[in-house]
Amino acid sequence: GKAVDAALKGFCKLSDASDLMPRLRMIKSDAELAYARKAGKLGDAALKAAVAATHAGANEGDILAAQQGAIFAGGGDYPGNEFIIGSGRDALLCRYKAGRRKLSKRDQLTLEWAGVYRHYHAAFMRTLVIGEPKKRHLKMYEAAREALEVCEDQLRPGRTAGDVFDAHAAVMDAHGMKDHRLNACGYSLGAKFTPSWMDFPMFFHGNPQPLRQKMVMFAHMILMDSESGTAMTLGRSYIIGKGAPEPLSKYSLDLIVC
């Protein structure tokens, strides 16, 4: 790059435009938003299939197959990265891993998946509880639910990506969850390919990127309490409009107990 820069000295100045396409992809056309809404419907179908397949003794592989099968049956595509599934202590991992286990009578199951249509993604995240929830599950769910709701209030034109994260962190910390939350809580989505469905921008402290109409954003509330071995996640995707954001899921945000 420096050799080319030197050769062009006096003729033109080279500038790094690595972020040109990501910035152009941020704002979706009406046709793109239609694909995102379809992806959201497929994401709901995948969650419905997962819940139906989740019970004590169920194999993680069957749950994963049910999710992916629902998306394919609905005309969807492969996702930009693997769906995440983990139960027991692996529910805290929040990353894809090899190997499957069967659910116990009292268990927890973290799922992160995306409805995908024409390569456009609508991502979601939930922790399901098998059997009676622990008090810790309920406390963490309360924090995650409230944090997601305040993030929704920030998903409006003129706010920044950093504003969304700060709202999330304030709620989590007020609930005593600072040690268990992440330092990011979501990102943009669109037409993406392997190895990742993530796009620019991301929600983290100090990110000055303004939010604008027709952006598709995924907000995920993730809590991992390693001391008690308890996980709780709650997340869904939105289209930013003139006022309140449009959720791409019609599924209830209530805690799912199987």
Side-chain angles (χ1 to χ4, degrees):
K2 290 296 183 181
V4 174
D5 197 18
L8 294 174
K9 187 175 182 180
F11 177 73
C12 66
K13 180 181 179 180
L14 298 182
S15 298
D16 185 0
S18 299
D19 63 350
L20 175 62
M21 291 309 297
R23 289 186 178 278
L24 290 175
R25 284 199 306 266
M26 282 195 308
I27 312 302
K28 308 298 190 288
S29 67
D30 290 340
E32 289 178 303
L33 292 179
Y35 288 159
R37 291 186 177 99
K38 175 63 175 178
K41 291 180 180 178
L42 293 174
D44 277 356
L47 179 55
K48 183 178 180 180
V51 172
T54 300
H55 55 82
N59 190 298
E60 288 180 351
D62 292 334
I63 299 168
L64 192 59
Q67 282 197 293
Q68 194 68 81
I71 290 172
F72 288 148
D77 301 310
Y78 280 108
N81 52 261
E82 302 91 344
F83 287 3
I84 291 171
I85 183 168
S87 60
R89 288 201 66 86
D90 287 338
L92 284 72
L93 185 59
C94 296
R95 291 290 182 270
Y96 179 82
K97 68 172 187 65
R100 304 284 175 257
R101 69 181 286 269
K102 291 185 177 180
L103 303 180
S104 58
K105 291 182 179 180
R106 292 191 71 182
D107 215 328
Q108 56 187 354
L109 176 71
T110 293
L111 302 171
E112 184 179 18
W113 73 100
V116 192
Y117 189 73
R118 301 297 189 266
H119 297 292
Y120 285 83
H121 293 70
F124 305 97
M125 198 167 193
R126 301 294 287 259
T127 295
L128 285 59
V129 178
I130 297 83
E132 184 180 356
K134 299 187 297 185
K135 290 183 179 180
R136 190 61 172 161
H137 278 129
L138 298 177
K139 184 172 178 58
M140 292 168 71
Y141 168 76
E142 181 183 357
R145 177 71 178 263
E146 184 179 338
L148 184 59
E149 290 172 350
V150 299
C151 285
E152 288 181 0
D153 290 339
Q154 297 296 321
L155 290 173
R156 300 168 190 268
R159 306 291 172 83
T160 68
D163 290 337
V164 179
F165 173 81
D166 290 346
H168 142 273
V171 170
M172 293 297 198
D173 296 357
H175 280 268
M177 299 293 171
K178 184 174 183 178
D179 292 340
H180 312 303
R181 66 168 171 80
L182 302 184
N183 284 324
C185 68
Y187 43 82
S188 180
L189 294 167
K192 289 299 297 291
F193 300 84
T194 303
S196 174
W197 65 48
M198 296 172 62
D199 212 341
F200 172 89
M202 179 177 283
F203 298 143
F204 60 85
H205 177 67
N207 188 345
Q209 175 61 47
L211 302 180
R212 296 170 59 188
Q213 278 186 252
K214 297 188 174 183
M215 293 175 72
V216 177
M217 305 298 299
F218 173 41
H220 58 64
M221 309 298 106
I222 299 175
L223 291 169
M224 299 175 287
D225 183 351
S226 298
E227 292 181 5
S228 68
T230 311
M232 186 51 61
T233 64
L234 185 64
R236 63 181 179 181
S237 296
Y238 302 85
I239 295 173
I240 296 180
K242 292 182 180 179
E246 173 190 344
L248 288 177
S249 171
K250 304 301 182 184
Y251 218 97
S252 169
L253 290 176
D254 291 347
L255 178 65
I256 300 173
V257 180
C258 301

